[in-house]
Amino acid sequence: MILARGDVITTDALPAVVKGLAHEAPSHAPGSPGDLPGAVEKLEKELVFESLRIHGGNQSKAAKNLGISERNLRYRLKKWGVR
């Protein structure tokens, strides 16, 4: 919920974290087909690679940290062409 004075909600009423997202241009027009799957895959990659970085490339620990199986992690890496 956003609270604002007046009839129009401007970016001034948004939290700073949301304002930062508003400045990023989406790769697809909002609501267009492919918008959500692309965004989900981008976030998924960021989380997987960050977990691998934190755990020094240890796939077992990274998978456990992500709450997925090692097999699932290896499948994703293969899908993305990562060795």
Side-chain angles (χ1 to χ4, degrees):
M1 178 177 11
I2 299 173
L3 300 177
R5 295 180 182 211
D7 295 334
V8 178
I9 298 174
T10 65
T11 56
D12 294 334
L14 300 176
V17 68
V18 176
K19 286 181 188 179
L21 295 175
H23 296 294
E24 295 179 15
S27 59
H28 294 85
S32 68
D35 188 36
L36 182 59
V40 169
E41 184 168 15
K42 180 181 176 188
L43 178 59
E44 185 177 293
K45 283 181 179 180
E46 289 175 10
L47 292 171
V48 166
F49 293 136
E50 179 66 9
S51 187
L52 284 167
R53 185 193 64 76
I54 289 170
H55 296 288
N58 185 312
Q59 292 182 5
S60 178
K61 289 181 180 180
K64 185 174 183 178
N65 175 252
L66 293 164
I68 60 176
S69 68
E70 289 178 61
R71 182 178 180 188
N72 193 297
L73 178 61
R74 285 191 302 271
Y75 165 79
R76 292 169 196 275
L77 293 172
K78 183 178 179 182
K79 178 176 132 182
W80 299 328
V82 178
R83 291 184 171 201

